[in-house]
């Protein structure tokens, strides 16, 4: 290790600077980490650092990374850096090596593509890799420039984004997200030593460096014991298929979850119920941490509205779909045609925790295909019973809906709503040539529900008129519209007892099922042992074929 850092150490006088020497103990991670530090030195640049073999392989990217595959950004390879360098955010005094302001601009996990050997790829001069960070995701490549392959004074590479779902013709889009992923501060705040201290990723302690950290002999910002790294999911093309991610370490303090500090952790969001104590804000955060793998598969890449209850569910609650001032950088924003205001999008586990911190108690994503708001990705049939309808009757309705969908070669899944109803969900296959949009999806869902109501008018209806509801179940097909939402699987509900929308196996959908048993206290353990929805991604079917079959059956 000392040999790898010899060049790094030779450039620094550790009697004058408190830059890390590489002796600090770095917490272990299941997957290699990356850090990008925005560095306002002699020239503004972005330092890309990839963890490999105990050090950070490092490149200075002169104009910053571009999301446009047509852009080739110069990346000058510099000396290997110690891993504890990846937690610094502050100012290096002028006159010292690398003097200037440093921001932790992005961080996360990375992997080489395929089974490529990193050392061989670097020697060859072409490293293809995948990033899973807060601002950068997807496939990238570093290519050594032709004239720098034979030991020139400078070791120049090109950083290029591969074309995928995270690329963007607006190459500067990511650079405009110009706040620290570790502290939420701007470069100006960091330079002034103001704002929150950065949450560490590589080291330990609640804050590895103080807000006014300056690397010289007059200021100290010594690391202490590990905090959690933000839990992130590696890039995926399908919404519910799991991919490599790091396991988060235990939090450094009792009020932190996945690096997000929970203020007023003991604040009751749900009151005591049926002999159980109140459910607190910290209970909500830890629940979302436990179910994040499962839940993200069904909300990632989709606009997501939330219901917030700052004073608990018995106080004032409000519905939020758009960004608000002060929102965490862990929350993504997406602009959709037809609305000038960007929508909330939650693509990461720490994003869920950030929403728990602002008392978001319910999560209602769109039903679009991931990262494509214009294309339906699933159909949701909401079976909403009148108050006088027994739940066993709703169960029979769900089974009938399943039979009708399967007759159209669709695959049906079921979940509780967290109330008195059930949702029957069918995933849709979306291809490059998909031409059917929301109008067709809504018409199809309406037709299925109308047939069911026509066949049993004494049991079902498709109109919301209250005077007609008595003794019947409203077959709500209106969830299948572009701007409509449905409560996410495993989302809590703002109702007494903190119930959740629980995915079920069809063997569970039988008489005697009690939806109230699925709540924040029980759901995480139950879903961990369940096989519910395990073949969801493999069950996607094209909508156009279901429509063709429906037409044939109606004509028969």
């Amino acid at each position: 290790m000392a040999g790898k850092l010899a060049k790094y150490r030779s450039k620094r006088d550790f009697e004058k600077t408190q830059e890390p020497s590489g002796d600090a103990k770095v917490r272990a991670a299941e997957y290699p980490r990356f850090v990008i530090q925005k560095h306002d030195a002699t020239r503004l640049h972005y330092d890309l650092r990839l963890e490999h073999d105990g050090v950070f392989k490092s490149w200075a990217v002169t104009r910053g990374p571009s999301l446009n595959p047509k852009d080739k950004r110069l990346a000058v390879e510099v000396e290997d850096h110690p891993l504890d360098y990846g937690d610094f955010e502050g100012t290096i005094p002028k006159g010292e090596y690398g003097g200037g302001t440093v921001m932790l601009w992005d961080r996360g996990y990375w992997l080489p593509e395929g089974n490529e050997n990193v050392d061989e790829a670097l020697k060859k001069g072409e490293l293809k890799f995948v990033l899973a960070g807060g601002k950068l995701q997807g496939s990238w490549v570093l290519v050594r420039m032709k004239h720098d392959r034979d030991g020139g004074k400078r070791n120049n590479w090109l950083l290029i984004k591969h074309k995928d779902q995270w690329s963007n013709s607006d190459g500067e889009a990511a650079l405009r997200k110009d706040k620290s992923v570790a502290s939420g501060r701007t470069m100006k705040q960091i330079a002034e030593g103001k704002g929150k201290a950065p949450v560490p990723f590589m080291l330990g302690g609640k804050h590895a460096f103080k807000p006014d950290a300056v690397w010289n002999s007059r200021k100290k910002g010594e690391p202490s014991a590990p905090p959690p790294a933000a839990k992130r999911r590696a890039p995926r093309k399908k919404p519910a298929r799991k991919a490599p991610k790091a396991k988060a370490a235990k939090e450094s303090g009792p009020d932190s979850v996945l690096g997000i500090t929970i203020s007023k952790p003991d604040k009751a969001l749900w009151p005591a119920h049926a002999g159980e104590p109140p459910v607190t804000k910290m209970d909500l955060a830890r629940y979302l941490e436990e179910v994040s793998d499962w839940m993200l598969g069904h909300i990632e890449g989709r606009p997501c509205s939330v219901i917030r209850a700052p004073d608990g569910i018995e106080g004032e609650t409000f519905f939020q779909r758009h960004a608000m001032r002060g929102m965490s950088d862990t929350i993504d924003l997406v602009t959709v045609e037809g609305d000038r205001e960007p929508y909330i999008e939650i693509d990461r586990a720490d994003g869920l925790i950030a929403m728990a911190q602002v008392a978001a108690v319910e999560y209602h994503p769109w039903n679009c295909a991931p990262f494509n708001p214009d294309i339906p990705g699933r159909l949701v049939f909401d079976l909403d019973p009148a108050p006088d309808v027994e739940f066993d009757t709703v169960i029979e309705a769900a089974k009938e809906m399943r039979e009708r969908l399967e007759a159209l070669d669709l695959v049906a899944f079921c979940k509780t709503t967290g109330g008195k109803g059930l949702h029957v969900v069918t995933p849709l296959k979306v291809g490059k040539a998909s031409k059917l949009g929301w109008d067709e999806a809504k018409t199809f869902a309406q037709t299925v529900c109308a047939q069911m109501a026509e066949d049993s008018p004494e049991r079902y209806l498709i109109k919301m008129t209250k005077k007609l509801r008595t003794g019947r179940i409203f077959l709500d097909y209106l969830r299948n519209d572009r701007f409509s939402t449905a409560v996410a699987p495993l989302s809590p509900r703002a109702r007494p007892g903190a119930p959740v929308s629980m995915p079920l196996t069809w063997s569970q959908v039988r008489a005697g099922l009690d939806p109230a048993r699925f709540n924040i206290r029980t759901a995480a353990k139950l879903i961990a042992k369940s096989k519910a929805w395990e073949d969801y991604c493999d069950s996607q079917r094209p909508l156009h074929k279901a429509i063709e079959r429906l037409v044939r059956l109606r004509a028969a």
Side-chain angles (χ1 to χ4, degrees):
M1 185 65 65
K4 293 179 182 179
L5 296 176
K7 188 174 181 180
Y8 167 84
R9 288 170 174 161
S10 71
K11 292 175 178 281
R12 293 158 176 85
D13 184 347
F14 293 104
E15 294 295 322
K16 297 180 180 180
T17 176
Q18 288 191 5
E19 290 177 79
S21 62
D23 294 328
K25 185 177 180 181
V26 175
R27 66 174 190 83
E30 186 175 348
Y31 293 92
R33 291 156 286 197
F34 82 89
V35 169
I36 297 179
Q37 287 162 313
K38 184 176 181 179
H39 191 175
D40 191 6
T42 305
R43 293 182 180 178
L44 179 66
H45 62 277
Y46 293 72
D47 291 312
L48 168 64
R49 311 193 192 283
L50 303 178
E51 180 182 3
H52 176 61
D53 203 14
V55 296
F56 272 128
K57 308 300 291 187
S58 298
W59 292 261
V61 184
T62 55
R63 294 176 56 198
S66 171
L67 300 182
N68 190 339
K70 294 181 180 180
D71 292 339
K72 299 177 180 179
R73 292 291 166 88
L74 177 64
V76 180
E77 186 176 4
V78 297
E79 71 274 11
D80 293 345
H81 279 52
L83 295 181
D84 44 347
Y85 200 103
D87 272 346
F88 177 73
E89 178 174 284
T91 301
I92 305 172
K94 290 183 178 180
E96 296 188 19
Y97 181 76
T101 303
V102 178
M103 171 197 283
L104 286 165
W105 184 79
D106 198 15
R107 61 191 183 184
Y109 301 93
W110 79 281
L111 286 173
E113 287 199 347
N115 297 315
E116 189 170 30
N117 181 284
V118 174
D119 290 317
E120 292 179 2
L122 291 172
K123 184 177 180 180
K124 183 177 65 175
E126 185 175 351
L127 175 62
K128 297 176 181 178
F129 57 99
V130 174
L131 296 179
K135 297 174 182 173
L136 299 186
Q137 296 184 336
S139 179
W140 298 76
V141 63
L142 277 163
V143 182
R144 190 188 293 121
M145 295 178 69
K146 184 176 181 180
H147 298 294
D148 291 302
R149 292 176 181 265
D150 300 315
K153 288 185 179 180
R154 284 162 63 91
N155 200 352
N156 292 337
W157 298 62
L158 297 174
L159 176 65
I160 305 168
K161 180 75 183 78
H162 282 155
K163 188 174 182 180
D164 58 18
Q165 68 193 83
W166 290 281
S167 58
N168 191 327
S169 59
D170 179 3
E172 308 298 315
L175 298 182
R176 287 195 288 273
K177 297 179 180 180
D178 201 26
K179 289 186 179 180
S180 165
V181 294
S183 67
R185 297 186 292 172
T186 63
M187 290 290 278
K188 185 175 184 291
Q189 289 175 306
I190 295 168
E192 294 172 348
K194 296 179 179 179
K196 295 181 180 179
V199 176
F201 186 40
M202 308 298 300
L203 291 171
K206 189 170 183 179
H207 299 296
F209 291 94
K210 297 179 181 178
D212 61 348
V214 177
W215 280 348
N216 63 20
S217 57
R218 296 184 297 277
K219 296 269 185 144
K220 292 186 179 181
E222 306 234 324
S224 31
K231 193 175 184 181
R232 289 177 171 83
R233 297 166 71 81
R236 298 174 301 168
K237 292 183 178 179
K238 293 186 178 180
R241 199 180 297 280
K242 293 183 181 179
K245 61 173 181 60
K247 294 179 179 178
K250 288 185 178 180
E251 288 70 25
S252 58
D255 299 343
S256 177
V257 179
L258 297 184
I260 305 294
T261 299
I262 306 298
S263 63
K264 299 182 180 178
D266 296 328
K267 184 175 185 61
L269 297 181
W270 284 267
H273 180 77
E276 293 286 349
V279 175
T280 66
K281 190 196 285 190
M282 180 58 76
D283 292 333
L284 172 63
R286 294 198 181 282
Y287 167 75
L288 292 174
E289 178 192 18
E290 285 189 87
V291 300
S292 60
D293 275 346
W294 223 106
M295 197 168 167
L296 283 170
H298 298 277
I299 67 175
E300 183 181 20
R302 303 168 176 90
C304 185
S305 301
V306 297
I307 292 178
R308 291 175 56 186
D311 297 318
I313 68 166
E314 293 184 321
E316 184 178 354
T317 63
F318 64 94
F319 191 76
Q320 180 181 347
R321 61 169 65 90
H322 298 303
M324 294 180 69
R325 181 176 296 180
M327 182 172 286
S328 169
D329 283 346
T330 62
I331 307 300
D332 291 320
L333 300 177
V334 58
T335 301
V336 299
E337 186 178 354
D339 197 328
R340 290 183 296 178
E341 294 291 326
Y343 282 72
I344 297 168
E345 185 176 288
I346 306 170
D347 295 339
R348 298 159 39 180
D350 52 357
L352 280 172
I353 307 308
M355 294 309 297
Q357 156 59 16
V358 296
V361 294
E362 292 193 11
Y363 299 81
H364 295 255
W366 286 22
N367 293 312
C368 59
F371 306 100
N372 195 340
D374 295 327
I375 301 296
R378 59 188 170 221
L379 299 177
V380 177
F381 298 86
D382 183 1
L383 311 183
D384 183 11
D388 61 335
V389 175
E390 297 292 331
F391 192 67
D392 282 356
T393 304
V394 185
I395 288 173
E396 292 306 313
K399 292 178 178 179
E400 181 177 344
M401 181 63 75
R402 178 194 186 189
E403 291 175 0
R404 289 175 179 271
L405 294 175
E406 289 181 345
L408 301 173
D409 292 333
L410 296 172
V411 182
F413 297 84
C414 189
K415 66 184 181 75
T416 65
T417 63
K420 296 182 177 181
L422 289 172
H423 281 172
V424 178
V425 182
T426 183
L428 300 178
K429 187 173 183 178
V430 178
K432 293 182 179 179
S434 296
K435 295 181 180 179
L436 298 185
W438 288 106
D439 288 344
E440 292 85 358
K442 183 177 178 181
T443 300
F444 172 81
Q446 180 182 14
T447 303
V448 171
C449 291
Q451 271 194 319
M452 193 163 161
E454 288 172 9
D455 291 346
S456 302
E458 75 286 356
R459 298 176 62 189
Y460 311 122
L461 76 164
I462 61 171
K463 293 183 178 181
M464 298 179 68
T465 311
K466 281 189 177 181
K467 65 180 181 180
L468 301 176
R469 293 284 302 275
T470 303
R472 291 191 280 186
I473 296 171
F474 173 47
L475 305 179
D476 185 357
Y477 61 87
L478 299 173
R479 305 286 176 186
N480 305 294
D481 205 353
R482 184 167 180 261
F483 288 93
S484 296
T485 66
V487 66
L490 293 173
S491 170
R493 302 305 304 268
R495 296 171 180 170
V500 305
S501 178
M502 187 70 178
L504 304 169
T505 63
W506 281 108
S507 62
Q508 290 177 288
V509 185
R510 62 177 186 269
L513 175 68
D514 179 11
R517 67 184 290 254
F518 306 118
N519 55 62
I520 277 184
R521 301 186 191 281
T522 63
K525 290 182 180 179
L526 291 171
I527 199 64
K529 298 183 292 185
S530 176
K531 293 184 177 181
W533 294 40
E534 64 179 2
D535 56 345
Y536 182 90
C537 279
D538 296 326
S539 300
Q540 297 169 348
R541 299 291 186 269
L543 178 59
H544 72 273
K545 290 189 176 180
I547 292 175
E548 291 171 0
R549 188 165 180 81
L550 178 63
V551 171
R552 289 198 302 269
L553 289 175
R554 285 178 65 87

